[in-house]
Amino acid sequence: MVFYGAVSKGCQRCRQRKIKCDQQKPGCIRCKKAKTDCPGYRDLSNVIFRDESKRIIRKARKAQNTVPVKEILSPAFVDSITVWDLTSPSTSSTPLPSSISPSLCQSLNEIAAHFFFARYTCDQPPLSRGYQAWLLETYCNAPLNHALRTAIEATGMAGISNVCYAPEIAAQSKALYGRALAATNRSLEDPLEMAADETLITVIFLALFEFITLEDWSNYSSWATHIEGATTLLQLRGQKQFDYERGGMLLMQLRHQILFACMQRNIRAPPALLPVIQSFKLSVLGTRRQAAQPPPMADLCFQLVEIQAAVKKGTITDLDTIRRAAFHLDKKLLSWRATLSKEWEYQIVTVDGDVAVAVGDGDGRSCKYFEGKKHIYASPWRAHIWNNWRALRILANQIILRTAESPLLDDALLELIHRLSSEICVSAPEFIGTPRSAGLIWPLSVVAQGSWNKRSVRCWAVEQLRLIGTTVGVRQATLLAESILKDINSVDLNIGLATLEGFTNPGLDWSDV
């Protein structure tokens, strides 16, 4: 038997949210105020002392057959790995902190790489298996202080520190991040290395590190600096980068990060990015992709970004002009929907009873199917595109409602917003805890921030944002959840219909960097 020391006596809900519980029975006051049934308290006698014999035996047997790093990082291993599988033994000179399980065979750097490949990369469309294989091979063959290798390990450590609440690992991730920055700067001094794929993806991962470790909404400048650097590299690489598939994939990864931040902060995309995207469209690779797929959703995202940024900057103040722009965008979204083939259709399945679905973090937490339904898509990427489309329509129609001449609300538009919000919620649980989690942050935040949605729907979306933060370690999801919840609890949902929600949030302009 192993003694685990003092443990929290709070109810399950308070422990998951990391807040103090008053421990009243039969239910705590916090759950009562949240109008939620208190899940109750655990039997501490089963927690303080635990029989660890079987677990120690399993780990000892694993240690007898140590697996090489290349085999550990194979796609099959990455597909099956879970967060707590990563807390395996370490042989590094730096001991793991007390919040991470003791180690037998793996260094913290290897564990961080496992986490990175399991939580932040995939071989699903729009990426290819060739891209995943290239990234794995590059990591495994790179020297210890290589910029890309160090950036991957730094980002993985940052994610682990967020999931496991381990400040010791956070400090090590920042040290690795500094080494990756120094190595990247050395690469930029060499004309050949500066144009290499490895250098561009390293800068993209450094931006991802800033995205994962975001501690405050005002700390976007470091992320923006990396994005501007990556955009400059795209320009320097020229048209030849789109002669092969990987070049297009690197552009799409960078574009995804930029669009997410622009949507969240209501800022325009970097002006230098748009010509690069146009060059990709005109390339053989871009032409082939457009012929095989629906029109790029990114084009419509950029249009919404332009509207939001113009309103925020005061470039457009006439409500009628804003409303017409939103109408025009919504029509384009409907036209895009009409171009989809039957392969893009999805099934709606009713789940019997109050069924929970595991989110992949292995610690007993779960998220429930929204309204007892779930969606079945042909691929996770198509689900991602569908949710972006829903979020865009929600925002476009919110603008139409808020700029209407009549104070009376349009029931048809409200019903549309409610339906699209519900569809986002129904689609979410299947992908939380996977590399697709980050793609859910923006659609879920649109639902949670939507003042016309029911409080229960908004709070459900907030809980999913929290789950994303706790399963894949993206701190921005947790920050969003907390800030939105404060707004839900402090603002009367029937007030403020005359303002453009989201347009007045403080943000970052590229000219500020």
Side-chain angles (χ1 to χ4, degrees):
M1 302 296 287
V2 178
F3 176 67
Y4 272 68
V7 294
S8 173
K9 299 178 181 179
C11 72
Q12 181 183 2
R13 183 172 179 271
C14 289
R15 284 188 288 107
Q16 289 180 358
R17 298 180 64 198
K18 304 297 181 182
I19 58 177
K20 187 175 181 180
C21 180
D22 57 33
Q23 302 172 33
Q24 292 194 20
K25 296 182 179 181
C28 73
I29 297 298
R30 288 188 181 274
C31 290
K32 184 178 180 181
K33 288 183 177 180
K35 298 181 179 179
T36 302
D37 291 337
C38 184
Y41 309 91
R42 55 185 173 175
D43 185 355
L44 297 183
S45 63
N46 295 329
V47 179
I48 296 177
F49 291 91
R50 305 179 200 172
D51 187 348
E52 295 287 276
S53 304
K54 293 182 179 180
R55 184 178 68 86
I56 296 300
I57 291 172
R58 285 198 304 268
K59 287 196 172 185
R61 287 174 177 172
K62 287 182 181 179
Q64 296 173 0
N65 301 292
T66 303
V67 185
V69 174
K70 279 191 178 182
E71 186 174 340
I72 288 174
L73 293 178
S74 66
F77 176 85
V78 170
D79 287 343
S80 63
I81 202 169
T82 65
V83 172
W84 301 110
D85 289 329
L86 299 169
T87 59
S88 59
S90 171
T91 55
S92 65
S93 57
T94 304
L96 289 170
S98 57
S99 54
I100 302 295
S101 301
S103 185
L104 288 177
C105 60
Q106 285 182 292
S107 70
L108 178 57
N109 295 63
E110 291 172 4
I111 294 172
H114 298 174
F115 189 95
F116 179 91
F117 283 105
R119 291 293 177 262
Y120 304 136
T121 67
C122 64
D123 57 3
Q124 301 165 347
L127 303 177
S128 71
R129 191 170 294 274
Y131 165 82
Q132 178 88 327
W134 165 75
L135 194 58
L136 286 164
E137 182 179 2
T138 303
Y139 171 82
C140 293
N141 294 333
L144 292 179
N145 292 322
H146 189 273
L148 176 56
R149 182 186 183 102
T150 310
I152 287 174
E153 292 173 354
T155 306
M157 281 190 196
I160 291 174
S161 69
N162 290 341
V163 170
C164 301
Y165 309 102
E168 303 93 335
I169 289 185
Q172 294 184 57
S173 74
K174 290 178 181 178
L176 274 181
Y177 172 75
R179 286 165 49 189
L181 276 177
T184 302
N185 288 332
R186 290 193 295 270
S187 298
L188 295 175
E189 295 173 357
D190 185 320
L192 291 178
E193 286 192 39
M194 181 175 61
D197 292 344
E198 290 83 357
T199 302
L200 177 57
I201 193 63
T202 298
V203 177
I204 293 174
F205 288 161
L206 291 174
L208 177 61
F209 177 92
E210 296 287 352
F211 181 76
I212 290 172
T213 59
L214 185 68
E215 296 180 357
D216 186 84
W217 294 121
S218 61
N219 294 340
Y220 260 90
S221 58
S222 297
W223 171 87
T225 300
H226 291 312
I227 292 299
E228 287 203 328
T231 305
T232 301
L233 289 178
L234 284 173
Q235 292 177 294
L236 294 173
R237 284 156 57 88
Q239 190 67 32
K240 289 184 178 180
Q241 67 184 308
F242 302 132
D243 290 343
Y244 57 103
E245 192 172 28
R246 191 189 307 148
M249 292 179 187
L250 295 177
L251 170 62
M252 284 186 285
Q253 287 194 70
L254 180 62
R255 184 182 65 184
H256 173 76
Q257 279 200 48
I258 292 174
L259 276 174
F260 180 89
C262 289
M263 290 288 190
Q264 200 62 51
R265 308 304 293 168
N266 303 319
I267 59 175
R268 296 186 64 194
L273 178 67
L274 302 181
V276 177
I277 292 176
Q278 188 62 27
S279 296
F280 172 67
K281 290 181 180 179
L282 297 176
S283 68
V284 174
L285 178 62
T287 303
R288 186 168 65 244
R289 288 184 65 86
Q290 291 183 63
Q293 299 173 1
M297 180 64 65
D299 292 348
L300 300 175
C301 291
F302 279 121
Q303 291 184 36
L304 178 63
V305 164
E306 288 294 320
I307 296 173
Q308 290 179 322
V311 172
K312 180 184 172 185
K313 295 282 274 188
T315 307
I316 304 176
T317 57
D318 180 64
L319 294 183
D320 188 54
T321 301
I322 298 171
R323 184 168 58 255
R324 285 200 305 270
F327 266 123
H328 184 61
L329 174 60
D330 195 51
K331 285 184 179 180
K332 284 190 173 182
L333 288 164
L334 287 172
S335 298
W336 180 90
R337 170 67 179 85
T339 65
L340 298 182
S341 64
K342 289 186 177 180
E343 296 175 351
W344 281 76
E345 294 179 359
Y346 57 91
Q347 293 180 318
I348 304 175
V349 178
T350 300
V351 181
D352 294 332
D354 193 14
V355 181
V357 55
V359 295
D361 59 337
D363 67 347
R365 285 175 289 197
S366 63
C367 60
K368 297 181 179 180
Y369 288 117
F370 184 77
E371 296 181 343
K373 302 175 185 176
K374 71 174 181 177
H375 288 170
I376 299 178
Y377 297 89
S379 70
W381 175 64
R382 290 182 179 176
H384 172 72
I385 298 298
W386 268 112
N387 279 332
N388 285 347
W389 179 81
R390 291 165 181 141
L392 285 171
R393 286 210 72 195
I394 290 172
L395 292 176
N397 283 279
Q398 283 181 345
I399 295 173
I400 294 170
L401 279 174
R402 290 190 172 93
T403 54
E405 295 179 359
S406 171
L408 298 177
L409 299 179
D410 188 316
D411 290 339
L413 290 185
L414 284 175
E415 192 279 331
L416 174 65
I417 291 172
H418 294 162
R419 176 171 57 81
L420 293 172
S421 297
S422 295
E423 289 175 358
I424 290 173
C425 292
V426 170
S427 70
E430 294 293 311
F431 307 109
I432 291 178
T434 74
R436 293 291 179 183
S437 296
L440 285 169
I441 296 175
W442 179 61
L444 285 170
S445 67
V446 169
V447 175
Q449 290 173 322
S451 60
W452 284 306
N453 282 326
K454 293 180 180 179
R455 179 187 176 89
S456 59
V457 175
R458 299 179 68 185
C459 289
W460 193 92
V462 165
E463 288 302 317
Q464 308 320 299
L465 289 172
R466 278 210 187 100
L467 282 171
I468 292 173
T470 57
T471 56
V472 297
V474 178
R475 183 169 290 169
Q476 187 174 94
T478 305
L479 285 176
L480 270 172
E482 297 305 323
S483 60
I484 294 172
L485 187 60
K486 287 181 181 178
D487 179 67
I488 293 174
N489 290 334
S490 63
V491 178
D492 187 338
L493 302 184
N494 295 319
I495 297 177
L497 299 182
T499 61
L500 292 173
E501 179 181 322
F503 290 158
T504 56
N505 289 339
L508 174 74
D509 196 341
W510 297 105
S511 60
D512 298 332
V513 180

